[in-house]
Amino acid sequence: MWLKPEEILLKNAFKLWVTEKDNEYFVLQRRRGYGEGGGGLTGLLVGTLDTVLDSTSKVAPFRILHHTPDSQVYWSIACGVTKEEIVQHWDWLQQNIMRTLSVFDSSEDITSFVQGKIRGLIAEEGKASHVLEDDPEKFREAYLRFENWFALPAEEKLVTYYSCSYWKGKVPCQGWLYLSTNFLCFYSYLLGAEVKLIISWDEIWRLEKTSNVILTESIHVVAHGEDHYFSMLLHLNETFVIMEQLADYSIKRLFDKEAFEREIALSDPLQITKRGLEAHSKSEQFRTFFRLPREENLLEVHESFLWVPFSHLNTLGKICLSESYLCFASQDGSQCHIIIPMREVVSVEKPDSSSRALTVCVRGKRALRFTEVRDYQRLATTLRSRCGITASPQHSASAEIIQGECQSLINHFEDNPEDVTLMVGQKDSSKAVSTEALMTVFHPQDVENLDPKMLKEKMKEQSWNIHFSEYGRGTSMFFTKKTRDLIVRGVPEALRGELWMLFSGAVNDMATHPGYYTELVEQSLGTSTLATDEIERDLHRSLPEHPAFQSDTGISALRRVLTAYACRNPKIGYCQAMNILTSVLLLYAKEEEAFWLLVAVCERMLPDYFNRRIIGALVDQAVFEDLIRENLPQLVENMTDLSFFSSVSLSWFLTLFISVLPIESAVNVVDCFFYDGIKAILQLGLAVLNYNMEALIRCHDDAEAVTILNKFFDSVTNKDSPLPPTVQQAPVGNNNKSSHFNVDISELIREAYEKYGSIRSEEVESSRKRNRLFVIQTLEDTTKQNVIRVVSQEVKFSPAQLDELYNLFKRQHFLSCYWTMKSPALLHHDPSLAYLEQYQLGFQQFAVIFPLLEPWTFCTNKSNLLLWVFRLIDENQDGLVNFKEFCSALDTLYCGSFTNKLKFLFKLHLPPEFALPEDGVIKKSPERGRGKVDLQAYLKQWQNEILRKEETIKDLPRINQAQFIQFSKTLYNIFHGDPEEESLYRAVAHVTSLLLRMEEVGRRLQEPNSPASPSKPAGEAPPTAKSSDTSSPQEAAPRLAETEWSFSFEQVLASLLNEPKIVSFFDRHVDIQSKVTQAQVAQLKLTGNNK
């Protein structure tokens, strides 16, 4: 059968295959252990391994690979069970493909052609095959096995399953890999040996494809510091992609709530399916490639040819259709692609049914002709319905009329630009918004100036105008290699804002949200929040040397854009570096355009960069380190610690080199960024390091390396910049020009593209996903260490015990979030808060974990006593318990003195008692993240905590009759099951009787007509002189006194100290480690039973 072309790893792989036939472009191989000869010991091993695999997981014994003579990369294109089957495929390649390949000049074209042809064959085979991909009966059987083997809660949803081998030590265990919403599970049972593995997705640090001496290809998983390898997968790439998607989904949902809330399609964890994940992944790739708004989803894909006028040929590619856009990309994506908003489509015609052609006419008298579209009639109907176009016989004529009307309307607005605001729905108050780019205001071009720089600038503009005439201009322009070449050479000042809007996709955002920015400006005007305070502080730090930001015009525009964005996205609000980026955007784009460019950067192009933890920037730094290892081995050999480059490059990523390069050079970098995304920044970073490699290798410390890089950035110039010296930014470092020669930014960018342009965006995205797991887990580990350091100062548990308790506490937080998005713990999770407040438990979660860890099992899940414990340790009464409060309670019960343990139990039974609301959380007020933070309130609370004196036993109120009875019951529950249970029960009964007699004597002494009190028993404590604290009048006291009585803590403590059995029980050491071990096993099961 033909296979979708996939790159295979042959490096360091064991020789499991024997070459049967080969030629210049193809290789036919047989797997050892099959066919003639058997393959000796290696063949025996391979044959044995393949024999134990089930029918769905066996590796086909024959395969065909494609390669080119000047490349080490191999692509699998076919496999076969029998030699006859694979020989048929081989003969077809010889007869139909080999002759054609001789006409191609480059290896890339050959590989691209072969891949396209194989995909076409697979598509033709798929037309005749209607086999259902998922067998419901088999899936149901697998789900029953999954439930039986792993005993997970019933809500846990199985997504898919695969047969594979799990390497435990040096021995492979053949079994089944189950991938569910929250867990990766494996089960094997061979020769009486059972292997069972359950790993939560949120516990995974690394997930990657790998190969080594024994395993050709395998999936490597790192969790809890242990390595796990899964191999012998028939569809390894598919399995890896699903695992990657589930891990990414879990990380976003549990650790990065801000990013997850944007994933509307995956909002319900109980509805996650394999197809849903695949569709979401494809939509994400589609939006990223075409720079579309996040609301767009990939709905249809059609293979077709597009007539490309500038090349005068038909280009094979795919039509991608979303809710509001029609997009096309050539087969490899690099030759050309085009984005057509539905709002720009004027008509859709079917001129030629024989060629299955489709013509799409767009505004500006342009037409796109698609041919060989299999389902062209349905596609035409879909396009017409989405564009609101009818398919009447007079459609062509009406289209011309509409086109003429549109053209006249465009001409009208060109002659009357003041009417544009009425067309897009902007309000009159928009006059306060700047309608010109600041560069045109503070540095208008002198048309009559004919100096060499201006002449070169005019030549650049002319080159772009020629490009526009050939490839189109505006939203439906063709993006080609020539477009990138022009970008690398530098964008003219006059076209920079227009092209930034186009390449970033911000032009579509602005067109579909008319008047939105003006509304935000009005809404945010005069507001006072933490974000606005930070914005005001940083306004005058944004390009302070530039004349535009030395005036109120530039400062006011910057304030409006930043404040409007903080209003649009309060979860990001404002972060440092946003002011620097926005100030550059305002130089070349109108104010509203600058706002939408900022939206595109923060929400699409640099996701998760501008938040409290800058996760996105840290992830890209890890990607940068990987690229350094791959592309600069000489530097790696001499500088083993690459973390230096992460720290020094943080500002490169956050500000797109604006903070380190002169402004006239930095804008060239921004040009490349808007066209190629983060790939352009990574390439330039590698070029900078490569340029300074010899100097960096000779460095003795980090400070010297930083000095070298700073001097280099100071030497970077833009010899073609037409900006006057008053606008150009002076170097921030050493001004001694003789100390370093100058480097032209255009040459540096060109070198970056020549040397590192082969880095593919797909590779960058894959590396981002792989490193995101590690970065977030590293941040989580840092949080844990900080929490343990703080808590260890107040409890007697060892750091190792606190580590295990923290893992249990955090896991309980996550378990409450696995099957619902409305968990109180998840709703109140905020990574930007202090370490101790990031993970907290509501009562429902506390009710599961605390009974597993408390030393005497006196709290049952349903008892009121558990609620009283929760109320007691919840110091700020917000309905949430943090790790410090949780550990302090356990520390008292395990390591506290007899007095402290008894005081804890005594306080449990004191008022006030309260009932929690249905969701288990008393809401905090004001709600987190809203409004201005009251710093004075935080300081006052902190001061009170410092000055708070330690509570003494005399400060405790008295316990009344009902509370004392419950206190006695609690003691009975604690002693239940102890070997000395009977002796302890008698001791409690004796203490209770003694206290009652003491209270009876005390009440008689207080009665006014009481006879002389009888002599006190020897050794009995003197009765208290205080009466019960009641607010009722004395007239009603006699009757109340007959039934109500109370005890102080001192009385209870003194009585219990007289019982050695009770004292020895509470002083007895209880091992918390055994409790922790039991809790680790029972936690998941109990959470499921309580749902």
Side-chain angles (χ1 to χ4, degrees):
M1 61 181 291
W2 298 109
L3 301 175
K4 179 182 176 182
E6 291 183 350
E7 186 177 339
I8 62 171
L9 302 174
L10 295 182
K11 186 179 180 182
N12 299 326
F14 196 71
K15 299 295 185 181
L16 301 180
W17 297 86
V18 179
T19 299
E20 295 273 324
K21 297 181 179 181
D22 66 342
N23 57 39
E24 191 175 6
Y25 300 110
F26 300 100
V27 179
L28 189 154
Q29 293 184 329
R30 170 178 54 83
R31 191 168 172 85
R32 290 184 184 273
Y34 293 89
E36 302 172 358
L41 181 61
T42 303
L44 181 63
L45 173 63
V46 175
T48 304
L49 290 175
D50 288 350
T51 302
V52 300
L53 300 179
D54 65 283
S55 60
T56 65
S57 184
K58 285 184 179 179
V59 177
F62 297 94
R63 69 180 183 183
I64 297 176
L65 307 178
H66 162 67
H67 75 107
T68 54
D70 56 349
S71 173
Q72 299 297 318
V73 178
Y74 286 74
W75 300 83
S76 62
I77 59 173
C79 68
V81 177
T82 64
K83 189 169 184 178
E84 291 74 18
E85 179 186 1
I86 203 70
V87 167
Q88 284 182 2
H89 285 19
W90 178 265
D91 292 339
W92 188 91
L93 290 170
Q94 293 281 14
Q95 297 168 12
N96 297 277
I97 299 294
M98 286 297 296
R99 296 177 184 175
T100 310
L101 297 183
S102 60
V103 304
F104 293 98
D105 295 328
S106 67
S107 300
E108 291 81 20
D109 292 339
I110 292 174
T111 300
S112 178
F113 175 80
V114 171
Q115 290 178 353
K117 197 66 181 177
I118 299 301
R119 289 192 183 98
L121 292 171
I122 294 172
E124 288 296 328
E125 290 177 351
K127 272 175 49 178
S129 175
H130 298 285
V131 179
L132 198 62
E133 181 181 340
D134 297 324
D135 188 333
E137 187 62 29
K138 283 188 176 181
F139 191 86
R140 191 179 66 84
E141 292 176 3
Y143 180 71
L144 292 175
R145 292 197 302 267
F146 172 73
E147 281 188 322
N148 181 48
W149 286 339
F150 303 106
L152 295 172
E155 292 84 0
E156 183 63 15
K157 183 175 179 59
L158 178 64
V159 175
T160 187
Y161 63 100
Y162 300 95
S163 175
C164 74
S165 289
Y166 169 63
W167 290 78
K168 190 173 183 181
K170 297 183 179 180
V171 180
C173 303
Q174 179 61 32
W176 292 91
L177 177 69
Y178 293 89
L179 308 179
S180 65
T181 308
N182 299 291
F183 300 96
L184 179 157
C185 305
F186 176 84
Y187 184 85
S188 173
Y189 186 84
L190 290 173
L191 303 176
E194 182 183 57
V195 177
K196 187 185 295 185
L197 181 70
I198 302 177
I199 302 174
S200 301
W201 294 115
D202 55 79
E203 298 170 339
I204 293 178
W205 282 64
R206 288 280 187 192
L207 178 62
E208 57 190 355
K209 287 190 291 186
T210 185
S211 64
N212 54 38
V213 175
I214 297 177
L215 305 176
T216 307
E217 279 189 293
S218 61
I219 297 175
H220 178 210
V221 177
V222 179
H224 298 298
E226 298 179 357
D227 295 300
H228 306 276
Y229 291 92
F230 301 92
S231 64
M232 306 290 181
L233 286 149
L234 180 61
H235 304 290
L236 185 136
N237 286 330
E238 175 191 309
T239 308
F240 178 76
V241 168
I242 294 293
M243 293 171 71
E244 196 174 52
Q245 290 169 350
L246 286 169
D248 184 61
Y249 169 74
S250 179
I251 287 292
K252 285 182 178 178
R253 183 160 61 95
L254 300 176
F255 292 110
D256 193 9
K257 191 169 62 174
E258 292 176 10
F260 177 74
E261 288 175 351
R262 301 194 293 264
E263 311 288 350
I264 301 173
L266 302 178
S267 57
D268 187 355
L270 299 181
Q271 301 301 322
I272 299 300
T273 62
K274 178 182 174 183
R275 289 181 180 177
L277 287 170
E278 289 173 349
H280 177 264
S281 177
K282 289 178 180 177
S283 292
E284 201 172 39
Q285 293 172 4
F286 167 69
R287 288 191 297 267
T288 301
F289 183 82
F290 292 107
R291 304 280 170 77
L292 297 180
R294 63 189 182 200
E295 296 82 13
E296 298 298 315
N297 294 291
L298 182 60
L299 303 178
E300 298 180 20
V301 178
H302 301 267
E303 194 170 84
S304 75
F305 287 90
L306 171 64
W307 172 254
V308 183
F310 51 84
S311 299
H312 303 290
L313 52 81
N314 283 314
T315 298
L316 177 63
K318 290 183 179 179
I319 300 172
C320 301
L321 190 67
S322 70
E323 291 86 348
S324 305
Y325 295 89
L326 171 69
C327 305
F328 176 87
S330 59
Q331 192 172 37
D332 59 358
S334 62
Q335 185 175 354
C336 76
H337 71 269
I338 187 170
I339 305 164
I340 307 168
M342 296 290 188
R343 64 181 184 273
E344 298 289 326
V345 176
V346 175
S347 67
V348 180
E349 303 296 337
K350 297 179 290 183
D352 185 4
S353 58
S354 62
S355 62
R356 296 179 290 187
L358 202 67
T359 301
V360 178
C361 300
V362 298
R363 302 184 196 278
K365 298 182 180 180
R366 296 187 59 204
L368 301 169
R369 179 181 172 84
F370 300 95
T371 57
E372 298 301 327
V373 184
R374 289 196 179 87
D375 203 355
Y376 73 103
Q377 292 184 342
R378 187 174 67 83
L379 178 59
T381 304
T382 302
L383 288 174
R384 286 170 180 164
S385 64
R386 292 194 174 277
C387 299
I389 302 171
T390 59
S392 61
Q394 296 82 16
H395 178 70
S396 298
S398 63
E400 292 178 5
I401 296 172
I402 293 171
Q403 203 166 6
E405 291 176 350
C406 291
Q407 189 60 42
S408 63
L409 191 64
I410 292 169
N411 294 335
H412 168 74
F413 285 123
E414 287 177 351
D415 298 333
N416 304 277
E418 67 277 2
D419 291 350
V420 174
T421 54
L422 299 176
M423 179 182 69
V424 299
Q426 290 184 347
K427 300 180 181 179
D428 294 338
S429 59
S430 64
K431 293 176 182 177
V433 176
S434 175
T435 57
E436 294 293 337
L438 294 179
M439 194 62 79
T440 62
V441 176
F442 289 88
H443 177 52
Q445 289 192 8
D446 186 358
V447 181
E448 298 180 357
N449 184 6
L450 297 179
D451 65 17
K453 290 186 177 180
M454 283 305 301
L455 285 174
K456 195 160 188 177
E457 188 76 2
K458 293 297 180 184
M459 291 173 62
K460 283 184 182 178
E461 290 184 25
Q462 186 62 26
S463 299
W464 275 97
N465 288 329
I466 294 171
H467 185 79
F468 292 148
S469 65
E470 292 182 5
Y471 298 86
R473 185 170 188 170
T475 51
S476 55
M477 183 179 84
F478 281 96
F479 294 79
T480 67
K481 292 180 179 179
K482 188 174 180 181
T483 312
R484 179 181 281 112
D485 293 340
L486 287 174
I487 290 289
V488 172
R489 284 158 53 187
V491 175
E493 299 279 319
L495 297 176
R496 187 159 272 139
E498 175 189 344
L499 293 175
W500 286 359
M501 290 288 290
L502 179 63
F503 297 149
S504 66
V507 63
N508 293 314
D509 291 326
M510 193 170 84
T512 53
H513 295 82
Y516 176 74
Y517 174 67
T518 306
E519 292 175 4
L520 279 181
V521 170
E522 293 177 351
Q523 183 180 341
S524 60
L525 194 64
T527 58
S528 178
T529 63
L530 183 61
T532 58
D533 289 348
E534 292 176 345
I535 290 170
E536 289 297 327
R537 188 181 63 238
D538 287 348
L539 283 177
H540 295 278
R541 303 176 185 173
S542 311
L543 301 185
E545 298 88 359
H546 199 285
F549 299 101
Q550 295 171 358
S551 71
D552 184 62
T553 303
I555 293 296
S556 297
L558 181 60
R559 178 188 293 112
R560 286 192 295 269
V561 172
L562 291 174
T563 307
Y565 186 79
C567 182
R568 166 188 167 87
N569 194 340
K571 290 185 175 152
I572 291 180
Y574 170 78
C575 293
Q576 286 190 344
M578 288 174 66
N579 61 317
I580 298 174
L581 175 61
T582 308
S583 60
V584 173
L585 299 179
L586 282 167
L587 289 178
Y588 294 97
K590 298 174 184 178
E591 187 175 319
E592 184 176 5
E593 293 175 343
F595 169 79
W596 287 112
L597 285 169
L598 183 63
V599 170
V601 171
C602 293
E603 298 177 10
R604 289 201 302 271
M605 302 186 72
L606 296 179
D608 298 331
Y609 261 60
F610 301 99
N611 55 32
R612 298 297 177 186
R613 300 199 292 175
I614 57 171
I615 291 175
L618 295 175
V619 170
D620 283 342
Q621 284 180 300
V623 175
F624 188 50
E625 284 189 24
D626 290 344
L627 292 174
I628 292 173
R629 293 186 183 94
E630 294 174 13
N631 295 279
L632 301 174
Q634 186 179 352
L635 189 62
V636 175
E637 289 174 5
N638 291 274
M639 299 185 71
T640 54
D641 184 12
L642 297 183
S643 60
F644 161 74
F645 296 113
S646 293
S647 59
V648 79
S649 65
L650 181 60
S651 63
W652 304 357
F653 292 98
L654 284 174
T655 66
L656 309 180
F657 283 91
I658 296 170
S659 63
V660 293
L661 287 174
I663 185 63
E664 65 275 8
S665 301
V667 290
N668 286 37
V669 179
V670 179
D671 296 338
C672 300
F673 167 75
F674 277 123
Y675 190 84
D676 275 322
I678 194 62
K679 174 176 170 285
I681 305 300
L682 293 168
Q683 290 174 180
L684 186 61
L686 291 173
V688 168
L689 296 181
N690 181 65
Y691 205 100
N692 296 275
M693 185 183 298
E694 293 183 4
L696 290 173
I697 290 174
R698 292 195 299 266
C699 287
H700 297 91
D701 53 39
D702 292 351
E704 187 178 349
V706 170
T707 303
I708 289 171
L709 291 174
N710 286 340
K711 286 183 177 180
F712 172 78
F713 287 129
D714 288 344
S715 71
V716 176
T717 61
N718 187 349
K719 63 183 181 181
D720 297 332
S721 175
L723 300 180
T726 56
V727 175
Q728 294 189 16
Q729 184 178 336
V732 296
N734 187 3
N735 291 326
N736 185 7
K737 293 185 179 180
S738 61
S739 64
H740 207 291
F741 53 86
N742 289 336
V743 181
D744 184 64
I745 185 64
S746 298
E747 295 296 329
L748 186 62
I749 291 175
R750 186 179 294 110
E751 182 180 338
Y753 272 91
E754 288 176 355
K755 289 188 175 180
Y756 310 110
S758 60
I759 298 172
R760 295 188 299 169
S761 299
E762 294 81 2
E763 295 173 355
V764 173
E765 289 301 320
S766 176
S767 183
R768 272 178 162 179
K769 289 181 180 178
R770 182 175 65 253
N771 284 290
R772 185 181 183 84
L773 291 172
F774 181 78
V775 167
I776 289 185
Q777 295 289 12
T778 301
L779 290 173
E780 290 295 310
D781 191 61
T782 302
T783 298
K784 178 173 74 171
Q785 298 305 324
N786 286 322
V787 170
I788 291 176
R789 187 178 68 251
V790 171
V791 175
S792 63
Q793 298 173 5
E794 303 191 16
V795 299
K796 297 183 179 63
F797 295 133
S798 68
Q801 291 172 332
L802 285 174
D803 187 280
E804 291 186 303
L805 287 172
Y806 183 89
N807 291 336
L808 284 169
F809 185 88
K810 178 179 170 182
R811 193 181 192 211
Q812 190 60 49
H813 166 91
F814 283 156
L815 287 173
S816 68
C817 311
Y818 279 169
W819 303 283
T820 177
M821 288 307 299
K822 296 182 179 179
S823 162
L826 183 60
L827 293 174
H828 287 76
H829 174 53
D830 187 353
S832 66
L833 291 176
Y835 293 123
L836 282 171
E837 304 296 323
Q838 287 188 22
Y839 293 109
Q840 302 181 91
L841 301 183
F843 175 67
Q844 298 299 328
Q845 299 83 46
F846 178 82
V848 175
I849 188 66
F850 189 78
L852 293 174
L853 293 172
E854 54 97 354
W856 308 307
T857 63
F858 68 99
C859 290
T860 61
N861 198 353
K862 308 274 185 183
S863 69
N864 288 329
L865 191 61
L866 195 56
L867 177 60
W868 299 346
V869 173
F870 181 81
R871 179 256 301 169
L872 178 62
I873 67 178
D874 181 16
E875 295 179 0
N876 57 357
Q877 299 296 300
D878 65 348
L880 294 168
V881 169
N882 63 34
F883 184 67
K884 179 182 175 182
E885 295 168 337
F886 183 78
C887 284
S888 295
L890 290 177
D891 182 63
T892 299
L893 298 179
Y894 277 97
C895 309
S897 63
F898 175 78
T899 302
N900 286 336
K901 291 177 182 177
L902 193 64
K903 184 168 70 173
F904 183 88
L905 297 174
F906 184 86
K907 289 169 67 176
L908 285 183
H909 302 83
L910 296 174
E913 298 176 4
F914 67 89
L916 292 173
E918 292 182 3
D919 64 356
V921 172
I922 297 176
K923 298 295 186 297
K924 289 189 174 183
S925 181
E927 192 174 342
R928 289 175 183 163
R930 303 299 179 94
K932 192 171 183 178
V933 178
D934 189 352
L935 298 177
Q936 294 295 331
Y938 278 109
L939 290 173
K940 187 175 180 180
Q941 180 183 352
W942 181 49
Q943 184 180 18
N944 291 338
E945 290 178 358
I946 294 175
L947 298 177
R948 186 174 56 191
K949 63 179 182 178
E950 187 175 352
E951 185 180 53
T952 65
I953 59 176
K954 293 184 178 180
D955 297 327
L956 295 175
R958 297 173 68 84
I959 194 170
N960 64 28
Q961 177 179 336
Q963 294 161 354
F964 179 74
I965 292 172
Q966 182 61 49
F967 175 78
S968 301
K969 289 181 179 178
T970 299
L971 290 178
Y972 283 125
N973 289 335
I974 290 174
F975 300 148
H976 179 68
D978 190 84
E980 300 184 2
E981 180 180 354
E982 292 297 329
S983 301
L984 291 166
Y985 279 1
R986 286 195 296 270
V988 173
H990 182 263
V991 167
T992 303
S993 175
L994 180 61
L995 286 170
L996 288 174
R997 289 202 302 272
M998 290 166 56
E999 181 62 21
E1000 182 69 23
V1001 170
R1003 276 193 294 120
R1004 289 182 178 177
L1005 288 175
Q1006 293 174 15
E1007 291 177 359
N1009 298 325
S1010 168
S1013 60
S1015 58
K1016 298 189 289 285
E1020 185 175 324
T1024 178
K1026 296 182 180 178
S1027 61
S1028 299
D1029 296 328
T1030 60
S1031 58
S1032 55
Q1034 287 191 355
E1035 291 81 12
R1039 180 162 185 167
L1040 185 63
E1042 292 177 6
T1043 57
E1044 290 293 335
W1045 35 263
S1046 63
F1047 302 112
S1048 69
F1049 177 72
E1050 291 170 295
Q1051 289 176 298
V1052 175
L1053 177 63
S1055 302
L1056 289 173
L1057 282 171
N1058 288 328
E1059 297 295 332
K1061 291 287 186 184
I1062 295 178
V1063 175
S1064 62
F1065 175 86
F1066 282 107
D1067 285 341
R1068 185 191 310 161
H1069 173 72
V1070 180
D1071 182 23
I1072 191 174
Q1073 190 59 47
S1074 61
K1075 289 283 186 177
V1076 168
T1077 304
Q1078 294 171 12
Q1080 290 169 342
V1081 176
Q1083 186 181 27
L1084 181 59
K1085 185 176 180 180
L1086 286 175
T1087 301
N1089 294 337
N1090 287 330
K1091 290 194 66 63

